[in-house]
Every structure is written in C-alpha cells, then in structure tokens.
Amino acid sequence: MERRKKRAHMVGIISILFLAFVVTYGASPALTAEPIRIGFMAPMKGPLAKPGEDLLNGFKLFWKQNGLEVGGRTVKILYADSACNPDTAMTQARRLIHAEKVDLIIGGLCGHVGPALAQVSRETGVPVLVMPGADELTKWDIVPTFVRLSVSASQIGHPMGDYLYNVLGARNVTFIGQDYAWGHGLTLGAAKTFKEAGGKVAKILWTPIGTADYGPLLASIPTDTDWVVANVVGADRLRLFNAWFNFGYDRKYKIAGGYWLHSDALFQLDDKAVDLIAQCNIYSAGLDTPENKAFVKAFIKEYKTVPSWMAEAAYTMGLFVKETIEALNGKLDDKMAFVDTILKVKVNAPRGPVSLDKYHNPIQNVYISKVEKVNDPVLGEIMINVPIKTYKNVSQFWTWNPKDFLAGGPYKR
Amino acid sequence: MNWILQALNGFSLGALLFLLASGFTLTFGLLRVVSMAHGMYYLLGGYIGLSVVWFTGNFWLALLAGGSSIAILNYFVNRYLIRRTGENHLAQVLLTVGVVLILADIALTIWGGDSLSLPPPAFARGPIELPGNIFYPKYRFLLIVFGAIIGAVLWIFYRKTQIGAIVRAGVEDREMVNAMGINIDRLFTLVFALAAFLAGMSGVAGGAFLSLYPGAEWEILVLALVVVIVGGLGSLEGAMVGSVIVGLVDAYARWLLPEFSHFAVFAPMAVLLLFRPQGLFGKEA
Amino acid sequence: MVLRKWPLLFCAVAAALFAPLYLGPFWLSLLMQILIFGLLALSVELLLGHIGLFSVCQAAFFAVSAYTVAILQVKYGQPTIVAVPAGLGAAIILSLIYGIAVRTSGVYFILVTIALGHVFWGISWTWVSFTNGEGGITNVPAPAVGSLTITSHSSYYYIVLAVVALCVVGYRTLTRSPFGLTLRGIRESESRMRGLGYNIAAHKYTAFVLAGTLSGIAGLLYIYFNRFVSPANAEFFLSIEVALMVLVGGTGTILGPFIGSAIMLGLRNYVSAYIDQWMIVMGLIFIITMLWTPDGVLGVIRRLGVWGRTSHNQPGHRTPTPEEGK
C-alpha cells in the first residue's frame, strides 16, 4: 500500500517535470526571435593588451561589414575582459554563461586562459572557440565542445624546420625558444622536422617570457652555429631585435624569425629589419589574394594600422560563426550540433582556405614571410610582412599519421 | 671573454637599478614612506620621455621631461595621499598600489598596449667593437657611465654637503633635526622630489634598454625591492652595492642558467636575510 | 548586543545552508569564491590583526597546496586522500621555511614577504617541466573518497561551507586562547612581553606557520573548486588584493575578511563587465579604503552606531574591541 502511494507520487512528479519540459521546449521556437548571444573575451589590460585590442578590432570589423544578423536572428555580442588571468577568465566565462545566457564564447589568447576556458566548457557544455594556444587541447585533451580556430603551436613550428633545411640550407641551428607550453610547441616542432630532414640542432636557448635583457643570453650561442632561429613573444621580440644588432651578432650569425617580427612589432623597427625572415605563420598581411587585399584595405581604413595575425584570426572567427549559424538556420539549442556543424564548415578567409580536422584544429596554409618596405596609400611608407613561401593545407600533424604522432606524446622539454 | 661581457651586462643593469633604487631607499630612509608607485613612476617617466623623443628627437630633453613630470606628479600624490597615512606602512603600500592601478590604466589609454622602445641618442646607437672580437652596445656603456656619475653626485651630495648632512641627520633622528630649527618639511619635499625625478629619469634610460610596456612597472619594482633589501633600507651605499650585486647575479644567471634567471637574484637575498635581516648596510630593523 | 547577534547568526546560517536552492550557478560559484578567498584573507587577518605583521606572501601558501594537489592528482594519479594531506603538508613546510621572515619586522617584513612570495611565483612560472609554467595544470579530477565522487558545484559548496566554518571556529578558539592574547600583547608592546618572559620569536613564528596553514586550506578548497591552477594564483597582486579584502571588510573581526572578499570579488567580476576602466575603479577603492575608511565596512557600520561602540583606529594599530578583550 505504502509502496503504491510512493509510486503514485513518483509518477505525479515525473509527469509534472515532463509537462514543464514540454512547455519550455514547446515555447522555444518562439524564442528564436531572441538575439543570438555571443560572449567575446580578450585581454584588455596587462602585457597582452595590444593583441587583445587587435582581436577585438578584427572581430568588430567582421560584424560591421556583415551586419549583426545571421540565420534570421540578430546577434548580440557581450564583451568581457580576461585580464590575462585564468581566474578572471573562468569567472567571466561563468558569468557570461549563467548570467548573460550566451550561446557560445569566443576568447582566449594568453596561454593559460585557453585551458581555463576549456575547463568551463567542459563544466557547462557551452561551446568555446579559442584563438591560438598550446597543442594539448586539440590533441590529447580534447573537450567535445571546445574548438580552436586559429593555430596550435607546433602547426607553425613544423614547416619552419623544413624551410630551414631545404630552402635556407641551414645545417647547424641554434633556437631561441620561450619556456612555456606555446613556446615548446613552436620550437620543438621546428627542431623535430629540422632534425628529420638531416639538420643538427646546435643548442636550444630557453628563456622565460619577459626576459628583460637578451644581451647575456646571446653570448651562449655556440660559435659553430650557422643559423639562429628566434621564437619569442610579446615585449621580448623587440628586446631580442635590439640586443641582436647592438651586440653585433648580425655580423656573426644569420637569424631567421620562426615566430618573431609580427606586423604589430614592425612599426618600431628600423631599416635593419628589412629583408629579415620575420615569421612562419598562418597569416601575413602582404598576402596577395583578393580576400586578403579587401580585408587589409578595410582594416587600415577603419583602424589606421596594418592588421596583425591576431586581427585576422578574430575576423575569421566571425566568418566561421556566421557560416555555422547559417547552416543551422539560427538554431543554437543543441550545442553538440553546433560543434558538429562548425567542424564541417569551410571558409575562404583572408589568410586562405580554412577547414577543421576531427581533432578540432584548423587545416590551413602556412606562410614564411620576410619584412619589406612598401608604400601604403593611407599609412605612407610602412614595413609589412610578405610571404616568400607557402606551405599549403598544413595539418597540425604535419605529414605524419595522427595516430603515430599522438602516440609520441606532447612536445615537452 | 664572455665573463667580461657578462660583467658589463651586469653593470649596465645595475646602473639602471641604482637610478631607481636610490630614490626608493632615500625616500624610505628619510620619510619612512614605502611607495609601491616607484615602478609605475619608472614606466610613466619612460612613456613621457618617449613622447618627448617622438616630438623633439632629443634624448636629453626626454630625460629631463620624464624626471621632472614625475617629480611634479609625485608632489601631488605625496601631498594629498601618502602624507595622510602617517607612518602606517601597510596603508602606504595599499594606497600606492591603488595609485599604480589608476596610473597604469591611464598610461594604457594614452600609450596603448604595445611594447615601445625608446630610441637612444644618435651617437649611442649600435655597437662598439672591443679587442677580441667583442661587440658591445654603445648605449649600455653610456648607461654605466651615467649611473656612475649620478651615483657619485648623490654620494657627494649626501656625504659632503651641508644639506646632505642634514638629510643624514634626519635619517638618524628626525625629531632632533626638527628641534634644531631646521624646516624639515621643506627638506622632505626636496628629497621626495629628487627621488621621483630619479625614478622618472630611470624610466627614460630604461626605455631605451628594456623597452616600455604595460606590466613593466611590477617587473622593475620587484628588482628594485631586491636591491633595497640586499643593500639595506635607507642606505645610499647599500643601494649602490645592492644594484651592482643584483645586476651581476642577474647577468651571470641569464648566461649560465637561463631557465632560472627569473628568480636567481632571489636566492642570495634569502641567504642574506638569514644572517643579516637588515641588509648589508641597513640599520637594525 | 548578544540578543541582537543570535538571530542574525541564525539567519546567516540558514541562508548559507540553503544557498544552492535559490542561487543560480553563477552566483553560487561566486559565493564559493567569496568563502575561499575570505578564508585566505582570514590568514592575513591572523597576522595583521593579532600581531601587527602585514604578510604579502599568503598567495604562495595558497598556491603551493593547490599545486601539490594538482600535480599529485594529474601527473602522478594519486587519489584525493593522498593529495589533500600532501597539499596541506606542502603549505606547512613552505611556511616553516618562509618563517625566517619573522626575523624582520615593520616595513622590512612587508618587503621581505613580497620578495619571498615572488620567489614562489617564479618557481611556478619557470619550472615548466614540473609545474607546466604559465599554462598551469588543468583537468584536476573531482574530489573522491572511495567510491564517492563530488562532481556538482552545489554539493561541493557544502564541503567548502563546512571547512570554512570549521576553520572559523578554530580561528576563534585560537585567538581567544592564551596564545592569541599573547600575540596581541606582542602587537601592543614587544618589549613589555619580552620583559614578562615570553618568547617573542617563537610566538611570531608559530603565528606565521598557522597563517600559512590556513592559506593552504584555502588553496585546497580552491583547487577542487576551480580544477585548475596557474601561476596567477601565486601572484604578488593576489596577496595584495587579499590584504585589501581584510581592510575593506575591517580588521579585528572574523566577519571582516569575508565581507571584504565579497566586496572585492563582486566588484572585480562585475565592474569589469560594464566599465572598461575597471582598473581605475579598483585603484580608487584601494585609495578610498586607506584614506577614509581605515577600519573597513564593519568600522563604518560601527561608527554609524548600528553595532555599538565607535572606533577610529588605524589598521594594524588597533586596540582590541570589547568582545576580544574578554
């Protein structure tokens, strides 16, 4: 008797819950008119404030050009400052998801913010699309709702090693690499392909991010080195450049940038930078395609500066989001459907054709660029990166079989 | 050969740190004020100097402008904020951290987030060739010489002039100096202005060496703190010796143990604290 | 006063117990952060309010226990039951080492703890092979004892609440014990206490280690809340912010640090969403607190006469309130 009563209660509760579910679910088509809410998170303060601003500008330009409407719904973008602090990033992401009810989050730039956002994505099931980052999150530690849309570290490391050996003819190379996850991927990735081609790594000089003075470090370059490769970030790029020439190392060794003279650093360099190999990267502002020319022109008109690769990355994220939502006809309730769809989308970005692999990382061109002086109708005489070699459709696994690569484990020093 | 090169690197960083730490240590010695804003003064002075260089192309004018604008700023910060905390160091620390946050945000709005390098004077660009195929940047020689000159001038002022004697007496016993009928307030203002001037100027000098960017204010402040802790709070000689030690340790560590360079300077500091908590030249804390 | 306090306490306990029922997930996670960072602030208060030492390295103890748990669980696959005591042990060991700082006092103590805090930050930042450097350590599993795993935030909330409550009770007992009275005696006059035959250095050292332990407990709660730790958790700025929490809330009370934590975290996470120049707002809070409300929000409340006596003391140089004097 008691049992039956209990069961009756249970049935009652379940049917009420079901009813509630049906009511909310049935009501949701009416909500389609609600705007799509996108959270956008970038560092606005601290050492990475400038790339953060580039991201923001690139993203804003995209929506300005395309209008804030997609798949029959308006788009509302909610901005948040990650402050380059994973704690803040996580709290902000939770706020965006729980309090602002965003449908997806775009963000991450600082190394540790990527994993932090992945954590929130795992916790809430809300898709998180990030910009660059260390390798793990699209290789060994895949989160179902986490997608990277620009590049993983070793993806642009691998072609550099090939270029060093086969084009530059380098045989004994010293790498200057930064001692954190992103830097490890860049430098060890390049060292791996370089060694496989037959080259010898003379030494890898690991430096912490924020190395104030490169003078002391450069004295450790082995004297039999023929090429030095610079993989440095942030303020270190400029300090390495100054120390390199001020200590007269340009008379001793040849230097090539694997990840060094990006366009946001160029305006401060003098003529010594011209013709240096600047970077091996997924974007180069001097790329000669109609898509890129239109993008660069629009960006310069809007912000009076050459777009950095961060700006392009954010612009292309807008492109991906738009195509995906259109393919879904504006329905974003099913988060996994969103991820499945974005993995199938192919876009013609300013940086070239981009598609995603099943590990949630893009397949795209990688360009080796050098610094050139050009005349821009708006900005006058400027320095810009111009591609001198293109590696087409580079996967994060380079030419290897993904399974074999994954078996080898992450790049760790 | 590299040992000599690294010694030069150590001295040039030491010279820069001395410019910053001497002001910090004097401010504390005389006024018992701990200002976390010193690192921000460095950065802001550097930014102002950078704008001056952009407009006039004159490095020396930039040094002067960077220094004096910070001295003026500091006058107001001191007068309206720091002075109200009395001798409560805790309040000073937090108050000046607040000042740093505000100034940092303003600087970010004006100069942006780029890492900016301040161009040194034309004659000091590029390297000098030394015997033995060593190249060394001219600017760093200049910095070492400049640091040495400032150090000598400060030392003479501190040890050999009458004002210096009063300042030293003030460090020892403030009430006594006041009782002797010397206007200690004016003296305080002078020393405070001098300290801020040095901080602003060091930013200009450092901007051409380490470049300027948001976040630099804390990085440099921590190094200056180590100098002051090693040398002893309130001691000019301590700041001299401390900055040379920190500069040298940093340079050799970067060369020999680059991975650990971030905190290599802290190890000798910790050891020193065990035996002399008041620092090399400090009085009993 | 006692009559007024009990219903208030009862309401607070009830509100805390039922929080997961009426708070949404965002507010619940904010509340957990407030409790955790309030506990960290309480460790600053232990040194500041009772012995007059202002420690700027509490973040190091906080981070060392969080890192120890993360590394043991993620890299070495150890269970919670091993990782938690190890994390606490790490915090105690680090505070035993950093205890050398109590050889100094006053401003030297402030500067030395800044430097020591920076050393730990430097280790977490540069020893990449062990701490994963800037990237931090992710994927810390949910706390599990035997077959019981606490996955949801709302059930973890009760653990946080229970641990914080236990710590608060322990703190209260400690500060009212003869040991706590001795500490306050040292703050008021070191020479007198020395004259009375107290071992000043040992008392300071013990208090420092206890504060480090308290920070370590906060770190343990934090790592299972966030499942992620990075050098940002060891930063100088975190230590400073936590100290400000104490002063914003008001020194000399147990409630103060938690109120301060609520105000600071609420502002940091909310203001930054709506105001671009949030750093200026934070800076103004620092300045206003130091200049106009040196005894914090609780001090203002007291001054307004809501809670009886007024006091106009400077932080760190406070005379004990009547409750503590008992």
Side-chain angles (χ1 to χ4, degrees):
Chain A
M1 199 61 200
E2 271 308 302
R3 243 200 182 156
R4 259 172 91 185
K5 219 175 188 178
K6 245 183 192 167
R7 196 175 289 165
H9 271 286
M10 276 303 251
V11 170
I13 289 171
I14 288 173
S15 44
I16 287 172
L17 281 178
F18 184 68
L19 204 70
F21 180 71
V22 168
V23 167
T24 21
Y25 198 79
S28 61
L31 289 175
T32 327
E34 283 276 294
I36 293 169
R37 301 167 77 84
I38 299 176
F40 186 89
M41 196 185 292
M44 291 293 126
K45 309 283 173 200
L48 289 184
K50 176 63 205 259
E53 190 192 330
D54 285 348
L55 289 172
L56 196 63
N57 287 346
F59 199 64
K60 280 186 171 160
L61 180 68
F62 177 82
W63 293 106
K64 194 173 174 189
Q65 285 179 351
N66 292 277
L68 283 165
E69 201 184 295
V70 56
R73 293 171 68 179
T74 53
V75 175
K76 186 167 162 53
I77 301 168
L78 297 118
Y79 298 98
D81 185 356
S82 75
C84 230
N85 177 331
D87 241 16
T88 313
M90 286 175 98
T91 314
Q92 288 295 332
R94 290 189 185 118
R95 181 183 64 81
L96 287 173
I97 290 168
H98 296 309
E100 305 282 1
K101 312 273 178 228
V102 294
D103 297 295
L104 59 127
I105 288 183
I106 294 178
L109 170 65
C110 312
H112 44 226
V113 168
L117 290 181
Q119 186 65 44
V120 177
S121 184
R122 189 181 282 132
E123 189 182 293
T124 59
V126 170
V128 167
L129 316 176
V130 297
M131 281 156 278
D135 284 19
E136 272 85 345
L137 287 166
T138 52
K139 290 201 176 82
W140 297 272
D141 186 19
I142 294 171
V143 178
T145 47
F146 178 93
V147 181
R148 171 160 33 225
L149 285 179
S150 66
V151 66
S152 51
S154 64
Q155 192 174 14
I156 48 177
H158 297 141
M160 188 66 196
D162 178 83
Y163 186 78
L164 278 169
Y165 191 89
N166 292 322
V167 182
L168 292 178
R171 292 297 177 264
N172 194 18
V173 168
T174 294
F175 289 90
I176 299 172
Q178 299 217 285
D179 200 1
Y180 71 118
W182 167 258
H184 292 167
L186 279 177
T187 302
L188 294 172
K192 181 172 174 166
T193 49
F194 179 65
K195 279 191 285 196
E196 283 193 356
K200 179 173 166 278
V201 174
K203 196 169 189 178
I204 299 180
L205 299 174
W206 293 110
T207 64
I209 320 169
T211 292
D213 185 0
Y214 273 88
L217 181 84
L218 294 175
S220 321
I221 300 173
T223 45
D224 58 346
T225 300
D226 55 4
W227 278 85
V228 175
V229 174
N231 284 331
V232 288
V233 305
D236 290 31
R237 296 174 299 178
L238 206 58
R239 291 156 167 174
L240 175 62
F241 181 84
N242 288 335
W244 184 259
F245 289 98
N246 285 337
F247 281 88
Y249 284 99
D250 55 321
R251 300 171 208 196
K252 294 179 183 163
Y253 314 105
K254 285 176 277 192
I255 192 165
Y259 189 86
W260 190 24
L261 302 175
H262 310 119
S263 50
D264 61 306
L266 288 178
F267 77 99
Q268 290 199 69
L269 307 181
D270 50 23
D271 287 352
K272 292 193 288 274
V274 174
D275 280 344
L276 279 180
I277 293 167
Q279 58 165 355
C280 171
N281 205 342
I282 55 168
Y283 178 68
S284 176
L287 190 61
D288 194 10
T289 61
E291 290 88 3
N292 183 52
K293 284 192 156 163
F295 168 67
V296 172
K297 197 173 166 199
F299 195 90
I300 290 179
K301 183 164 171 253
E302 190 76 25
Y303 303 111
K304 305 285 173 286
T305 174
V306 178
S308 68
W309 76 279
M310 298 286 172
E312 194 278 344
Y315 184 91
T316 301
M317 287 197 133
L319 206 56
F320 261 107
V321 168
K322 183 171 188 277
E323 299 270 327
T324 310
I325 297 176
E326 269 168 5
L328 288 166
N329 291 319
K331 284 206 180 64
L332 284 177
D333 309 306
D334 185 350
K335 303 303 180 200
M336 281 322 292
F338 177 85
V339 176
D340 292 341
T341 312
I342 201 167
L343 291 179
K344 290 189 201 100
V345 164
K346 288 181 174 37
V347 301
N348 241 335
R351 67 176 186 251
V354 186
S355 58
L356 292 161
D357 64 17
K358 63 175 179 170
Y359 301 90
H360 303 193
N361 192 72
I363 295 170
Q364 57 202 332
N365 296 347
V366 173
Y367 308 96
I368 309 273
S369 318
K370 69 171 184 174
V371 181
E372 266 184 23
K373 229 175 200 175
V374 296
N375 256 314
D376 182 88
V378 180
L379 301 173
E381 189 177 72
I382 49 162
M383 285 202 241
I384 193 167
N385 278 318
V386 178
I388 48 176
K389 167 140 179 92
T390 305
Y391 287 88
K392 282 216 152 80
N393 299 324
V394 176
S395 135
Q396 60 174 336
F397 302 105
W398 186 230
T399 55
W400 301 297
N401 177 346
K403 286 221 174 63
D404 298 343
F405 188 92
L406 291 175
Y411 284 117
K412 284 258 156 62
R413 47 173 301 237
Chain B
M1 243 36 240
N2 268 333
W3 286 93
I4 302 169
L5 191 69
Q6 300 304 356
L8 286 173
N9 282 326
F11 281 119
S12 54
L13 182 62
L16 180 66
L17 290 178
F18 172 73
L19 289 180
L20 191 62
S22 57
F24 190 97
T25 207
L26 280 181
T27 317
F28 179 77
L30 189 65
L31 298 118
R32 304 263 174 261
V33 164
V34 196
S35 168
M36 292 290 123
H38 236 67
M40 193 62 224
Y41 287 169
Y42 162 93
L43 183 62
L44 199 61
Y47 274 140
I48 291 169
L50 180 68
S51 292
V52 172
V53 170
W54 277 347
F55 280 113
T56 67
N58 190 329
F59 183 78
W60 306 105
L61 200 63
L63 272 182
L64 206 65
S68 37
S69 53
I70 295 303
I72 293 167
L73 172 73
N74 183 51
Y75 176 80
F76 289 106
V77 170
N78 180 38
R79 175 97 201 259
Y80 294 104
L81 300 175
I82 293 177
R83 199 172 281 187
R84 302 178 53 156
T85 60
E87 282 206 8
N88 183 347
H89 298 311
L90 164 64
Q92 286 164 2
V93 167
L94 292 178
L95 182 89
T96 47
V97 166
V99 171
V100 172
L101 289 181
I102 294 174
L103 291 179
D105 217 351
I106 294 173
L108 181 66
T109 313
I110 300 177
W111 287 279
D114 278 311
S115 157
L116 300 170
S117 182
L118 195 144
F123 73 90
R125 286 175 203 167
I128 290 183
E129 195 171 348
L130 301 174
N133 199 26
I134 295 182
F135 295 92
Y136 201 74
K138 286 182 198 160
Y139 179 74
R140 295 201 187 188
F141 273 120
L142 187 71
L143 194 60
I144 295 172
V145 173
F146 187 65
I149 292 173
I150 297 284
V153 170
L154 278 180
W155 189 81
I156 290 169
F157 164 78
Y158 196 60
R159 288 281 162 197
K160 302 287 174 202
T161 65
Q162 202 184 349
I163 304 181
I166 300 169
V167 172
R168 270 181 293 140
V171 171
E172 293 295 331
D173 190 340
R174 199 187 326 180
E175 285 73 28
M176 182 65 98
V177 175
N178 230 348
M180 283 162 66
I182 291 164
N183 185 344
I184 202 131
D185 262 357
R186 200 179 293 162
L187 190 67
F188 282 3
T189 312
L190 178 80
V191 172
F192 226 41
L194 180 70
F197 184 85
L198 286 171
M201 198 167 69
S202 68
V204 181
F209 172 15
L210 305 177
S211 77
L212 305 163
Y213 51 92
E217 69 270 27
W218 298 115
E219 288 175 20
I220 199 84
L221 179 74
V222 167
L223 284 178
L225 282 183
V226 176
V227 168
V228 170
I229 291 173
V230 169
L233 259 182
S235 158
L236 187 66
E237 287 86 351
M240 285 179 189
V241 175
S243 41
V244 171
I245 292 177
V246 171
L248 287 176
V249 169
D250 185 76
Y252 284 114
R254 271 184 209 292
W255 174 41
L256 299 169
L257 306 159
E259 290 100 326
F260 296 98
S261 54
H262 242 320
F263 56 104
V265 291
F266 293 96
M269 184 198 76
V271 174
L272 184 78
L273 277 175
L274 271 177
F275 299 103
R276 268 189 79 83
Q278 72 274 34
L280 290 175
F281 290 81
K283 290 176 296 174
E284 203 58 53
Chain C
M1 209 160 133
V2 173
L3 280 177
R4 256 201 214 157
K5 239 180 176 175
W6 282 109
L8 213 65
L9 193 68
F10 180 77
C11 289
V13 167
L17 279 178
F18 295 111
L21 298 180
Y22 58 87
L23 286 182
F26 170 69
W27 293 105
L28 188 66
S29 77
L30 193 62
L31 180 62
M32 284 159 87
Q33 284 187 53
I34 289 170
L35 287 172
I36 293 168
F37 285 99
L39 194 60
L40 184 58
L42 194 64
S43 77
V44 174
E45 162 68 14
L46 176 62
L47 292 174
L48 183 63
H50 296 275
I51 203 164
L53 286 174
F54 175 40
S55 162
V56 200
C57 64
Q58 294 310 111
F61 309 126
F62 178 78
V64 79
S65 67
Y67 261 110
T68 308
V69 169
I71 289 171
L72 280 177
Q73 289 233 287
V74 176
K75 285 199 162 176
Y76 298 100
Q78 295 297 320
T80 309
I81 199 111
V82 174
V84 166
L88 194 59
I92 294 172
I93 291 169
L94 190 71
S95 49
L96 286 170
I97 298 170
Y98 277 14
I100 52 162
V102 299
R103 285 169 57 90
T104 60
S105 60
V107 69
Y108 250 89
F109 183 80
I110 298 178
L111 299 185
V112 166
T113 48
I114 290 177
L116 288 174
H118 197 77
V119 172
F120 185 80
W121 174 85
I123 292 171
S124 68
W125 178 264
T126 44
W127 193 6
V128 179
S129 53
F130 194 59
T131 64
N132 202 23
E134 188 215 18
I137 295 175
T138 46
N139 288 337
V140 177
V145 181
S147 59
L148 180 73
T149 309
I150 297 154
T151 36
S152 81
H153 255 175
S154 46
S155 44
Y156 187 60
Y157 166 79
Y158 287 105
I159 293 191
V160 172
L161 194 65
V163 172
V164 169
L166 273 178
C167 288
V168 165
V169 171
Y171 180 92
R172 206 173 126 101
T173 319
L174 179 84
T175 51
R176 291 179 175 201
S177 69
F179 176 77
L181 289 177
T182 317
L183 291 186
R184 286 198 293 281
I186 294 173
R187 189 192 61 205
E188 297 307 325
S189 170
E190 220 169 281
S191 53
R192 198 190 311 156
M193 294 304 279
R194 193 175 287 125
L196 288 171
Y198 285 99
N199 186 342
I200 309 285
H203 273 89
K204 281 186 174 177
Y205 190 71
T206 314
F208 189 86
V209 174
L210 284 171
T213 313
L214 206 54
S215 306
I217 296 173
L220 293 176
L221 292 176
Y222 175 81
I223 185 67
Y224 286 117
F225 160 72
N226 228 26
R227 315 268 188 88
F228 173 70
V229 60
S230 76
N233 299 124
E235 261 178 3
F236 159 75
F237 196 73
L238 178 61
S239 291
I240 282 281
E241 212 177 32
V242 167
L244 190 71
M245 286 174 186
V246 174
L247 296 173
V248 165
T251 48
T253 57
I254 292 176
L255 198 56
F258 291 96
I259 292 180
S261 161
I263 294 173
M264 294 289 289
L265 288 175
L267 278 171
R268 172 149 61 97
N269 292 314
Y270 235 74
V271 170
S272 75
Y274 301 106
I275 302 175
D276 270 355
Q277 315 297 340
W278 59 271
M279 268 170 59
I280 292 188
V281 177
M282 292 283 282
L284 286 175
I285 294 168
F286 273 70
I287 292 174
I288 290 168
T289 309
M290 293 333 301
L291 290 187
W292 288 288
T293 54
D295 39 7
V297 174
L298 287 181
V300 171
I301 294 173
R302 254 191 234 118
R303 234 185 288 176
L304 293 176
V306 180
W307 250 334
R309 264 184 54 143
T310 52
S311 72
H312 291 280
N313 297 308
Q314 292 280 311
H317 292 280
R318 206 183 39 81
T319 46
T321 50
E323 298 101 303
E324 286 170 343
K326 272 181 232 164

